Amino acid sequence: AQSVTQLGSHVSVSEGALVLLRCNYSSSVPPYLFWYVQYPNQGLQLLLKYTSAATLVKGINGFEAEFKKSETSFHLTKPSAHMSDAAEYFCAVTWGGATNKLIFGTGTLLAVQP
Amino acid sequence: GAGVSQSPRYKVAKRGQDVALRCDPISGHVSLFWYQQALGQGPEFLTYFQNEAQLDKSGLPSDRFFAERPEGSVSTLKIQRTQQEDSAVYLCASSKQGDQPQHFGDGTRLSIL
């Protein structure tokens, strides 16, 4: 079955440090890929998306992600963490089709230490 | 409104009761999705509508779950004879077309006692 794996359910970084959140998908067919952020008691907000254009995708709040087909990965990065980045981050994929339903990873909770 | 609106935000029900959760998508969005998010997990797909047609209900966990979107706008997710395992956050999302990014509401947190 097609799936998404997020390595590391909890990641802690210092303010100003690099943020790296990992996402891998299982399929030989490149999917559409997304990163969403979820703040407590809120819905999911789209950070960025990859839809087979440029492999390096820039999103909101200084985040970016690089699609690497050879590694079936779509890791999320930010050069310098800010306290306001503390939230849960979800990688999601869809392989299109009639439904375009999203398949989500289990999420990574990012903590930012002062 | 500008975003996807869900109501109620919180719902507490006793086991065995029926509940109804409402989703008001972004105006003009053709596609509507329901997801279930258990505590500490990522959202899981329940069902999908294109306008008023329910094209995919493969994620509904049992026949106690029923969704409708009769006029192609507002959608209701109904759960009959609720069980404790139904406790979760139910998220609604909409998009302009099926392949456009999905915009999520804040969810309904359902607690079954």
Side-chain angles (χ1 to χ4, degrees):
Chain A
Q2 296 160 332
S3 64
V4 179
T5 301
Q6 290 184 243
L7 288 178
S9 59
H10 292 79
V11 171
S12 181
V13 300
S14 299
E15 192 174 18
L18 171 72
V19 175
L20 171 61
L21 304 182
R22 300 177 186 274
C23 173
N24 290 84
Y25 63 91
S26 63
S27 173
S28 59
V29 178
Y32 294 161
L33 293 146
F34 306 82
W35 275 99
Y36 283 87
V37 61
Q38 187 175 36
Y39 297 98
N41 297 317
Q42 293 187 22
L44 285 79
Q45 180 183 4
L46 181 67
L47 278 177
L48 49 79
K49 62 177 180 178
Y50 167 77
T51 55
S52 75
T55 56
L56 182 62
V57 181
K58 293 188 183 298
I60 63 171
N61 301 339
F63 284 94
E64 62 183 35
E66 185 173 9
F67 172 69
K68 292 186 177 180
K69 183 179 177 180
S70 61
E71 298 177 7
T72 61
S73 69
F74 190 57
H75 300 333
L76 180 71
T77 61
K78 181 174 180 178
S80 177
H82 191 273
M83 296 296 289
S84 61
D85 295 327
E88 187 143 30
Y89 292 79
F90 291 95
C91 179
V93 302
T94 180
W95 278 271
T99 301
N100 283 296
K101 61 186 177 185
L102 291 170
I103 298 175
F104 286 87
T106 51
T108 297
L109 186 62
L110 176 66
V112 181
Q113 308 299 327
Chain B
V4 177
S5 178
Q6 291 188 246
S7 61
R9 287 295 317 277
Y10 303 91
K11 176 69 178 177
V12 179
K14 293 182 179 179
R15 186 165 56 91
Q17 289 183 329
D18 299 348
V19 298
L21 313 180
R22 175 188 170 104
C23 173
D24 202 336
I26 293 172
S27 178
H29 278 196
V30 169
S31 300
L32 186 145
F33 304 80
W34 283 98
Y35 293 86
Q36 180 190 58
Q37 185 177 19
L39 188 64
Q41 300 295 317
E44 292 191 355
F45 170 79
L46 293 176
T47 188
Y48 162 66
F49 290 85
Q50 185 177 77
N51 295 306
E52 69 278 4
Q54 188 175 21
L55 299 185
D56 188 341
K57 53 182 181 180
S58 61
L60 296 177
S62 77
D63 59 6
R64 297 186 295 103
F65 286 71
F66 172 77
E68 60 182 6
R69 194 186 185 196
E71 299 179 357
S73 179
V74 172
S75 177
T76 303
L77 176 67
K78 298 179 179 179
I79 309 173
Q80 298 176 324
R81 304 181 304 280
T82 53
Q83 303 294 318
Q84 279 197 319
E85 61 264 28
D86 300 334
S87 296
V89 175
Y90 291 85
L91 295 167
C92 177
S94 69
S95 66
K96 287 184 180 180
Q97 297 289 345
D99 61 349
Q100 296 298 306
Q102 297 176 27
H103 299 266
F104 284 80
D106 286 341
T108 294
R109 183 177 298 275
L110 175 64
S111 298
I112 305 300
L113 304 179

